[in-house]
């Protein structure tokens, strides 16, 4: 694994680490695949550092978009509870234990709410159909509230464990602005690895989950 480089500025749609491998045999394609819970991006060895950063961001964004299109328009409440347990395990060490997670059609001014006394979490129905990383971010927010009241330093430190929180917040802010809603409205009440195929595969790296052709730079006229 010593040939893999971690990109800390970007994460996968489920909060995965993004690792980059340079391949001397790869000439014209970039690929992205899932491996051992991480995202692996293979690029030509000739790429500059700038090209590497650009293609890493492009391939992760492409994966996020494709998986969002594949996601069901409505997840069941059971699926939400499974997601909550997965998010808790990945980003909170399994410390948050919701008793139930359900959709709520009565939450039109906030994205989610929780009741720490009984461990229930409710997510706004408006999140249905949004990208997976956005739903997971709101879920993370409510899971943290099962452990910490308010939004002080301890809350922020735990929330920072979810690497796509800031990106998800930007997405929700845009939705709120377009609908003339308040910002990130949340409230605490007292009471299998997919693949992406996006281009021409490189014979030398045929096992990669998805590829995208690298277009040659055009000379300015």
């Amino acid at each position: 694994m010593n040939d893999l480089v971690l990109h800390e500025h970007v994460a996968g749609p489920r909060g995965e680490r993004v690792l980059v491998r340079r391949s001397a045999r790869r000439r014209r394609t970039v690929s992205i695949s899932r491996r051992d819970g991480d995202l692996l991006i293979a690029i030509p060895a000739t790429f500059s550092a700038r090209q590497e950063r650009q293609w890493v961001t492009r391939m992760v964004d492409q994966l996020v978009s494709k998986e969002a299109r594949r996601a069901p328009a409505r997840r069941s409440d059971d699926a939400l509870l499974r997601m909550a347990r997965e998010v808790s395990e990945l980003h909170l060490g399994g410390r948050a234990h919701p008793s139930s997670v359900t959709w709520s059609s009565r939450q039109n001014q906030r994205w989610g709410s929780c009741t720490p006394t009984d461990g229930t979490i409710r997510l706004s129905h408006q999140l249905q159909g949004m990208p997976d990383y956005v739903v997971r971010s709101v879920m993370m927010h409510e899971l943290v509230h099962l452990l910490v009241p308010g939004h002080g330093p301890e809350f922020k430190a735990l929330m920072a464990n979810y690497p796509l929180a800031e990106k998800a917040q930007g997405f929700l802010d845009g939705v709120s602005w377009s609908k003339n809603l308040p910002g990130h409205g949340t409230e605490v009440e007292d009471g299998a690895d997919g693949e992406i195929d996006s281009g021409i595969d490189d014979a030398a790296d045929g096992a990669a989950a998805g590829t995208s052709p690298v277009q040659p730079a055009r000379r300015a006229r």
Side-chain angles (χ1 to χ4, degrees):
M1 299 286 287
N2 294 332
D3 61 333
L4 300 179
V5 176
L6 173 66
H7 274 246
E8 297 182 348
H9 72 287
V10 65
R14 303 173 191 170
E16 305 97 328
R17 297 189 309 166
V18 175
L19 306 173
V20 173
R21 183 187 68 199
R22 287 177 173 265
S23 171
R25 293 175 296 176
R26 186 175 289 270
R27 294 289 186 269
R28 300 178 54 220
T29 62
V30 177
S31 71
I32 184 169
S33 60
R34 282 199 168 89
R35 181 173 300 177
D36 299 327
D38 297 323
L39 292 183
L40 174 62
I41 297 178
I43 65 173
T46 56
F47 267 14
S48 66
R50 180 179 179 182
Q51 286 176 305
E52 178 176 330
R53 290 192 300 270
Q54 290 175 336
W55 277 93
V56 165
T57 300
R58 182 181 302 184
M59 294 301 287
V60 171
D61 286 347
Q62 185 174 319
L63 178 64
V64 169
S65 297
K66 187 151 192 174
E67 292 192 343
R69 292 194 299 270
R70 288 179 174 177
R74 178 185 174 93
R75 301 170 178 85
S76 67
D77 290 345
D78 287 341
L80 286 181
L81 183 58
R82 289 194 297 270
M83 177 190 288
R85 290 170 176 166
E86 181 180 343
V87 171
S88 178
E89 286 293 331
L90 286 174
H91 307 297
L92 293 171
R95 293 170 54 199
H97 302 283
S99 59
S100 68
V101 184
T102 58
W103 293 113
S104 172
S105 60
R106 296 187 297 174
Q107 297 193 92
N108 295 316
Q109 298 299 317
R110 58 181 185 254
W111 299 116
S113 64
C114 73
T115 305
T117 53
D118 62 12
T120 59
I121 290 176
R122 295 158 298 282
L123 299 186
S124 172
H125 69 286
Q126 297 181 96
L127 291 168
Q128 293 173 15
M130 290 190 187
D132 187 72
Y133 76 93
V134 175
V135 180
R136 286 173 180 263
S137 182
V138 177
M139 185 78 76
M140 177 75 172
H141 189 113
E142 304 310 330
L143 288 170
V144 174
H145 275 314
L146 293 182
L147 305 175
V148 180
H151 297 88
E154 187 178 0
F155 173 89
K156 293 178 180 177
L158 289 176
M159 194 66 198
N161 291 331
Y162 184 70
L164 293 178
E166 186 174 346
K167 182 175 181 178
Q169 181 63 63
F171 183 98
L172 292 173
D173 285 346
V175 173
S176 296
W177 183 87
S178 67
K179 294 185 176 182
N180 195 28
L181 296 175
H184 189 144
T186 61
E187 179 176 311
V188 181
E189 300 179 359
D190 294 332
D193 291 348
E195 295 184 343
I196 180 173
D197 186 2
S198 59
I200 304 173
D201 198 7
D202 188 350
D205 294 278
T211 61
S212 186
V214 180
Q215 299 296 332
R218 294 184 178 180
R219 183 174 301 174
R221 295 182 178 180

